[in-house]
Amino acid sequence: EVQLVESGGGLVQAGGSLRLSCAASGFSSADYAIGWFRQAPGKEREGVSCLNINDGSAYYADSVKGRFTISSDNAKSTVYLEMNSLKPEDTAVYYCAAPGPCTHDVWGMDYWGKGTLFTVSS
C-alpha cells in the first residue's frame, strides 16, 4: 500500500524559506514520481513541482521557478520541497502525490497525502 506523509508546514514571513518533506512508502522500485501540489483557500488545486525518482528529472510550475527546489533522499524515501523567497500567495495546503507520470506537461497522480498547511504572512 502506497502511503505519503507530508510534514514541515507552519507560519513563515514573506521573503522567508521553508522546507516541506514527503515520506513515501509502499513502492517496490524507484520507477515512480513524486509531485507537490497546493490548494489555496477558494482556489483550485494546482501543481507546483514533480520529480522522477529514477532519473532525477524535475519540473516546476512557472509561479515557483527559481524559488522552489524539489529533491529527494532515496535512502530515506523522502522528497523535499525547498521554498525560498516566499510570498503571501504561496499560502496553501501542500500535498504530495504519486506515482506519476511526471513530464513537461503531464503530472498524473493517483495517491495523495493528507496535506500540510503553511501560511506566509506579509
Side-chain angles (χ1 to χ4, degrees):
E1 179 186 5
V2 172
Q3 290 190 334
L4 303 168
V5 180
E6 305 95 339
S7 61
L11 177 65
V12 64
Q13 289 189 332
S17 299
L18 194 71
R19 188 178 76 167
L20 302 180
S21 300
C22 173
S25 61
F27 293 100
S28 58
S29 73
D31 189 21
Y32 66 95
I34 294 290
W36 283 100
F37 295 75
R38 66 186 181 186
Q39 187 165 20
K43 295 187 177 181
E44 294 187 355
R45 186 173 59 197
E46 63 174 348
V48 175
S49 180
C50 69
L51 173 72
N52 287 296
I53 300 300
N54 57 2
D55 66 7
S57 56
Y59 301 90
Y60 298 90
D62 288 342
S63 59
V64 305
K65 279 180 182 177
R67 299 190 299 123
F68 290 12
T69 303
I70 192 170
S71 63
S72 67
D73 182 336
N74 292 345
K76 296 181 179 179
S77 297
T78 300
V79 171
Y80 304 100
L81 186 68
E82 187 76 36
M83 305 178 291
N84 299 308
S85 302
L86 286 165
K87 305 174 182 180
E89 52 263 44
D90 293 318
T91 295
V93 177
Y94 283 69
Y95 301 89
C96 67
C102 166
T103 68
H104 174 71
D105 53 3
V106 177
W107 299 4
M109 307 295 168
D110 297 321
Y111 306 104
W112 296 83
K114 294 182 179 181
T116 185
L117 170 66
F118 87 89
T119 302
V120 182
S121 62
S122 57

